[in-house]
Amino acid sequence: METNQMKELNKITYGAKIIANCTGLNHEGEGICKITGIKDGQEIENYVLFVNNMLPGEKGQIEIGKIHKSYGYANLLKVFSDKKSPNRVVPFCKHYESCGGCNIMHLDYKAQLEFKKDMIVETLKKIGGFSNPIVNTVLGMQNPNYYRNKVQVPFRELNFKVNCGFFAKESHHIIPIDECLIQPQLTTDIIKFIRNICNEFKIEGYNETNHSGLIRHVLIRTNHTLDEIMIVLVLTKAILNDKEKLIHKIINRYKNVKSIIINVNDKLGNTILGDKCITIYGNDYITDELCGLKFRIDAKSFYQINHTQTEVLYNKIIEIGKFNTEDVIIDAYCGIGTIGLIASKYAKEVLAVEIVEEAIYNAKINAKNNNITNVTFECNKAEEQIIKWANENKKIDAIIVDPPRKGCDQKLLNTIDLMKIPKIIYISCNPSTLARDLKILVEKDYDIIQIQPIDMFPYTSNVECVVCLKRR
Ligand SMILES: C[S@@+](CC[C@H](N)C(=O)[O-])C[C@H]1O[C@@H](n2cnc3c(N)ncnc32)[C@H](O)[C@@H]1O
């Protein structure tokens, strides 16, 4: 009897094709299916499979891929027509199935925003331990296309030719891209043009297997009007034959190229940029305008990738920060000074800190170019610099923190608490570390006043968030 029952159960093995129901989405936008079946001879209930492309409420046939002890992955083979999600749309990018760039383009845009809000709520519950977090509706884009102002494209040697495109999902296999709907068409054109020049001038593409070849990546940065373009050629060494001819070809065709840079990266691994930049044409920066101010952006410094939504984010910071002209504000993790400089007209003084030297160099120039005199910049770790300010007995009215994905250093959070800073504006691109840090701050002496997500990265499962906290 038992044996017959076991025969009817699904086999949880690589390659097995089974019918499954999708009940939710994980933070990567993959469908979550819980199945009962036999794994390694044992019956398992609620084994979790993450299914690429499947949406909540759908039922369909899936094929199991990689499996781990308590969860695995599967591919969607078909959705039963009467069990299709009303939120399913046909992805409008022809590369979507294979390219690893976007992951939720099969979800209607309005539903993408709802998914992002739910994901933040769930993460705040799970990691932050908050029982009923109130999260505002995600601020989305009117026209969520062609938004990326920075693109980094891998160049690889394939069959004695340079090939470029984006990496396929979870691999380093290159998908040649002839259009990408989240970056300007101009950017795609330049990438293809540079690939053709590389082939014409016999510039060898990088080979990851034996760490040979010359060109590894091309990074393009554009300003929001597309009249300033920076091209960074990431090479394994600083020698580029036919350099002058190459420059000439590029600037002849693309008049708005203001900067061409060689970046040298001879290290093994996936880090895109190396330490050394050599400007071979024009300036070592381009300029962009944000919230009425002008900013110089260099190759290595951080700059938000979606201009429209960055203005939405920065305006939100000013709105929820409710700063007044007597306030002294810290801008921690300030990059090229964008937030601190924009906030400076609402405050008496801004103290800004950032770890990247080039960013601080440009931040100081940005202050000068915008005639702003009440912001000072320090090149340091935020967690170290804030201790210095605390030791100087600085009275701080508010702190803006905008850390990288790994979130704030514990030392920084402790010092904010020790200094009894009345207001914190926390900007995050990673709900998990945000939830972790909010938990710490709430356990200290802070209340969350508002959580506002902003859709900085349409068609991907990433989301930006700004949170206002006040001291109890
Ligand atoms: C998400 S970016 C924010 C930059 C800036 N606020 C903006 O809106 O453009 C995070 C910044 O933190 C910087 N950073 C990383 N670790 C740091 C640390 N320990 N101390 C200070 N800055 C750091 C990075 O170089 C990067 O510029």
Side-chain angles (χ1 to χ4, degrees):
M1 180 68 187
E2 200 187 12
T3 330
N4 282 343
Q5 260 183 8
M6 282 172 77
K7 264 187 197 156
E8 285 163 22
L9 287 174
N10 293 312
K11 283 202 182 97
I12 306 175
T13 52
Y14 183 88
K17 291 179 183 162
I18 61 170
I19 308 296
N21 292 297
C22 179
T23 53
L25 291 177
N26 70 4
H27 64 283
E28 301 280 353
E30 294 162 321
I32 301 170
C33 294
K34 291 181 183 166
I35 58 164
T36 297
I38 304 290
K39 181 172 175 287
D40 303 327
Q42 301 267 326
E43 185 177 332
I44 297 192
E45 272 181 35
N46 290 327
Y47 181 81
V48 174
L49 285 171
F50 298 120
V51 189
N52 202 6
N53 243 334
M54 201 168 187
L55 294 176
E58 291 188 334
K59 184 175 183 176
Q61 191 185 35
I62 63 174
E63 180 173 1
I64 300 179
K66 238 192 238 168
I67 50 174
H68 300 283
K69 192 163 179 255
S70 54
Y71 67 93
Y73 295 91
N75 278 322
L76 180 64
L77 297 178
K78 68 170 176 216
V79 182
F80 299 137
S81 52
D82 57 334
K83 294 285 178 191
K84 232 178 212 172
S85 165
N87 294 325
R88 178 173 285 281
V89 290
V90 178
F92 56 93
C93 172
K94 63 181 179 196
H95 303 294
Y96 179 63
E97 288 283 299
S98 48
C99 174
C102 298
N103 56 359
I104 53 170
M105 202 183 260
H106 57 293
L107 188 59
D108 169 63
Y109 187 58
K110 197 165 157 270
Q112 287 181 29
L113 301 181
E114 282 159 16
F115 153 67
K116 291 185 186 194
K117 175 177 163 170
D118 293 346
M119 175 177 63
I120 294 166
V121 169
E122 285 313 306
T123 312
L124 288 168
K125 284 184 184 168
K126 221 178 189 171
I127 298 177
F130 299 102
S131 51
N132 187 22
I134 310 289
V135 175
N136 293 352
T137 304
V138 182
L139 298 173
M141 294 185 80
Q142 290 276 329
N143 173 13
N145 301 334
Y146 307 112
Y147 61 83
R148 282 198 76 98
N149 59 23
K150 177 185 163 189
V151 178
Q152 309 181 101
V153 181
F155 274 52
R156 296 291 181 265
E157 189 73 6
L158 189 77
N159 301 331
F160 306 103
K161 273 187 130 185
V162 175
N163 190 22
C164 71
F166 290 115
F167 288 137
K169 288 185 174 122
E170 285 162 33
S171 98
H172 275 197
H173 174 70
I174 301 251
I175 307 286
I177 301 284
D178 57 5
E179 61 172 5
C180 170
L181 299 163
I182 64 169
Q183 70 194 36
Q185 187 55 42
L186 175 69
T187 305
T188 312
D189 285 352
I190 297 174
I191 295 286
K192 288 193 280 185
F193 186 69
I194 294 175
R195 179 204 52 203
N196 293 347
I197 302 180
C198 287
N199 283 322
E200 185 185 331
F201 292 163
K202 306 252 175 297
I203 298 170
E204 202 187 332
Y206 184 60
N207 183 334
E208 267 178 289
T209 326
N210 56 12
H211 192 49
S212 66
L214 185 63
I215 186 158
R216 293 176 75 141
H217 270 84
V218 172
L219 181 156
I220 310 266
R221 265 190 153 144
T222 48
N223 70 352
H224 79 285
T225 46
L226 299 182
D227 55 15
E228 295 205 23
I229 301 163
M230 171 186 280
I231 297 174
V232 183
L233 308 169
V234 184
L235 308 180
T236 49
K237 49 182 183 280
I239 301 160
L240 183 59
N241 298 330
D242 296 318
K243 189 173 72 191
E244 295 308 322
K245 279 196 221 158
L246 180 138
I247 292 170
H248 186 74
K249 279 214 165 216
I250 294 175
I251 59 170
N252 234 8
R253 176 148 174 160
Y254 299 103
K255 307 283 181 220
N256 291 345
V257 171
K258 305 289 180 209
S259 167
I260 305 180
I261 293 171
I262 288 179
N263 174 272
V264 186
N265 182 2
D266 59 358
K267 296 204 176 84
L268 289 170
N270 294 334
T271 306
I272 294 177
L273 290 182
D275 294 334
K276 192 170 168 190
C277 279
I278 307 156
T279 304
I280 57 170
Y281 172 76
N283 298 321
D284 54 4
Y285 62 88
I286 55 167
T287 52
D288 200 7
E289 204 181 298
L290 261 180
C291 302
L293 298 186
K294 277 217 156 90
F295 293 97
R296 271 169 70 139
I297 312 150
D298 59 278
K300 284 167 78 185
S301 299
F302 178 90
Y303 187 66
Q304 289 284 5
I305 56 102
N306 181 332
H307 183 270
T308 308
Q309 294 301 85
T310 303
E311 290 198 326
V312 172
L313 169 69
Y314 290 177
N315 286 328
K316 205 72 203 171
I317 295 170
I318 302 300
E319 182 194 317
I320 65 179
K322 295 195 176 87
F323 309 117
N324 76 63
T325 47
E326 286 309 301
D327 281 352
V328 179
I329 301 173
I330 291 177
D331 176 9
Y333 309 92
C334 71
I336 56 167
T338 44
I339 300 175
L341 292 170
I342 289 163
S344 67
K345 75 169 170 190
Y346 306 95
K348 183 175 157 207
E349 190 186 353
V350 180
L351 309 171
V353 58
E354 157 68 43
I355 203 170
V356 172
E357 267 176 45
E358 290 87 341
I360 285 294
Y361 172 79
N362 281 316
K364 287 179 181 169
I365 297 176
N366 288 334
K368 219 170 181 182
N369 289 348
N370 289 293
N371 299 317
I372 293 172
T373 52
N374 61 342
V375 185
T376 46
F377 291 100
E378 303 288 346
C379 186
N380 199 350
K381 287 184 179 164
E383 58 274 24
E384 305 292 344
Q385 185 60 39
I386 196 173
I387 295 174
K388 281 194 181 171
W389 285 324
N391 290 339
E392 289 165 14
N393 286 325
K394 291 261 185 208
K395 190 193 149 288
I396 306 296
D397 300 288
I399 180 164
I400 301 164
V401 297
D402 185 6
R405 286 188 70 76
K406 67 177 180 190
C408 287
D409 189 281
Q410 176 84 42
K411 244 198 275 179
L412 179 91
L413 300 178
N414 289 344
T415 316
I416 291 174
D417 184 46
L418 276 175
M419 291 172 84
K420 298 189 170 36
I421 298 179
K423 205 183 310 175
I424 306 171
I425 309 292
Y426 192 133
I427 301 127
S428 163
C429 58
N430 183 347
S432 303
T433 52
L434 174 69
R436 179 201 67 197
D437 291 351
L438 290 182
K439 181 173 193 278
I440 295 170
L441 290 167
V442 168
E443 278 167 4
K444 291 183 184 294
D445 232 343
Y446 288 90
D447 286 326
I448 296 174
I449 306 300
Q450 193 179 152
I451 304 176
Q452 177 62 65
I454 289 135
D455 192 24
M456 194 68 84
F457 318 97
Y459 309 120
T460 79
S461 52
N462 295 322
V463 63
E464 195 83 8
C465 225
V466 52
V467 181
C468 178
L469 298 111
K470 280 198 178 146
R471 197 161 176 86
R472 251 166 247 145

